[in-house]
């Protein structure tokens, strides 16, 4: 389990009992045995700010984030920041793509994904940079920085199971195979499929892959968007003419960010001026049943969240890219087990 456990027996703390009454605690009971309530809640651990980068005089404008091999990658303006996700120490700032005699400065970085030894960096300047995860040497670029070629800007990227999903401006997601990108591949690659997000313009988008589906936090469609990957492959050629539309569900809030961990769907949702951190059980979420185990706009009544544009989890830590407050919020996910004797 990716949680820190705390077991409370016999005496039930009044506060946690009230929280269970008014939130989605899970309940287990077996005849005359004790009834067990599971309550999950986040607590503040720390924050990563600009003060922890370099000499501390720079800026942090966090957007998309990713965790791989105990490293935290943060899209930060015109650079990619790399932190140790365990100690939270700053490791390096990547400022450019470099391959042989070619050097391209990173500009307006929106998103990042790490998969199978590669880092994929999305830029609003209509490029996807691909680098070696260990050496950070350039492998290739997709797009040449001109919005009328390849990408109309890049606002989100996720890579898994041999596929690359790139969210560009308005309602478009382009799908590539990782095998298309090599040391010698051309920058003007053609997508194998196209997807339609129904609504959208130029916001940073969050997307992830789970259980054979691409899931997009459809902030403009006010729904999580589900695309079956087997269906994408089967209808890839036709989708280049008519992009595939997602399965949706009626939703009141705006999904802003989504990420899958071992046990949870970690999400952020917006309702007017309120920004919530939400955790869903994975099986329920994939069945489009949105019974949140955690749904909070702050931490125990303090430190309200700003706009959370990226989320990730490592063990019992939740990482939130809080763009409003210009920091990475680092929370601890706790579990209390409350047993009530029948």
């Amino acid at each position: 389990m990716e949680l820190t456990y705390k077991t409370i027996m016999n005496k039930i703390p009044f506060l946690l009992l009230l929280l269970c009454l008014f939130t989605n605690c899970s309940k287990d009971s077996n005849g005359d045995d004790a009834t067990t309530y599971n309550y999950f809640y986040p607590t503040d651990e720390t924050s990563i700010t600009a003060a922890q980068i370099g000499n501390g005089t720079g800026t942090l404008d966090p957007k998309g984030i990713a965790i791989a091999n105990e490293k935290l990658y943060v899209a930060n303006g015109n650079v990619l920041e790399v932190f140790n996700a365990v100690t939270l120490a700053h490791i390096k700032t990547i400022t450019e793509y470099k391959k042989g005699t070619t050097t391209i400065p990173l500009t307006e970085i929106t998103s990042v994904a790490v998969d199978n030894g590669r880092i994929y960096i999305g830029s609003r300047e209509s490029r996807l940079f691909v680098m070696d995860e260990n050496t950070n040497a350039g492998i290739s670029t997709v797009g040449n920085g001109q919005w009328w070629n390849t990408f109309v800007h890049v606002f989100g990227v996720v890579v898994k199971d041999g596929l690359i999903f790139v969210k560009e401006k308005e309602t478009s997601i382009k799908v590539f195979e990782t095998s298309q990108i090599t040391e010698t591949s051309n920058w003007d690659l053609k997508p194998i499929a196209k997807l339609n997000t129904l609504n959208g313009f130029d916001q940073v988008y969050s997307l992830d892959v789970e259980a054979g589906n691409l899931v997009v936090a459809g902030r403009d469609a006010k729904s999580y968007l589900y695309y079956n990957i087997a269906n994408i492959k089967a209808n890839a050629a036709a989708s280049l003419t008519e992009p595939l539309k997602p399965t949706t569900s009626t939703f009141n809030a705006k999904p802003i960010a989504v990420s899958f961990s071992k046990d949870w769907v970690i999400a952020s949702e917006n309702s007017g001026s309120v920004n919530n951190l939400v955790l869903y059980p994975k099986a329920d979420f994939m069945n489009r049943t949105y019974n949140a185990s955690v749904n909070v706009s702050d931490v125990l009544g303090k430190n309200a969240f700003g706009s959370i544009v990226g989320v990730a989890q490592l063990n019992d830590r939740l990482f939130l890219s809080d763009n409003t407050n210009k920091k990475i919020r680092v929370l601890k996910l706790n579990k209390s087990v409350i047993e009530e004797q029948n």
Side-chain angles (χ1 to χ4, degrees), residues 54-73:
N55 62 11
T57 61
T59 60
L60 180 60
D61 182 23
K63 292 186 174 65
I65 62 175
I67 291 178
N69 298 316
E70 297 189 343
K71 289 181 180 178
L72 170 67
Y73 297 85

Side-chain angles (χ1 to χ4, degrees), residues 136-151:
N136 302 147
I139 295 173
S140 190
T141 61
V142 185
N144 69 344
Q146 297 174 325
W147 63 264
W148 56 92
N149 287 314
T150 315
F151 299 123

Side-chain angles (χ1 to χ4, degrees), residues 99-116:
K99 179 182 179 182
T101 59
T102 300
T103 299
I104 306 172
L106 300 185
T107 54
E108 295 195 60
I109 301 305
T110 60
S111 45
V112 58
V114 184
D115 178 76
N116 198 27

Side-chain angles (χ1 to χ4, degrees), residues 145-207:
Q146 297 174 325
W147 63 264
W148 56 92
N149 287 314
T150 315
F151 299 123
V152 185
H153 314 300
V154 174
F155 291 104
V157 61
V158 68
V159 185
K160 193 169 184 180
D161 298 333
L163 294 177
I164 307 165
F165 300 91
V166 181
K167 174 67 175 73
E168 58 178 356
K169 191 176 181 181
E170 298 179 343
T171 62
S172 174
I173 293 177
K174 288 179 176 174
V175 186
F176 301 84
E177 294 177 324
T178 56
S179 59
Q180 290 178 263
I181 299 177
T182 68
E183 293 278 356
T184 58
S185 58
N186 191 285
W187 62 263
D188 192 19
L189 294 181
K190 305 304 179 186
I192 65 165
K194 293 182 180 179
L195 312 177
N196 185 333
T197 62
L198 305 179
N199 298 94
F201 191 56
D202 62 355
Q203 301 91 339
V204 172
Y205 261 66
S206 176
L207 48 166

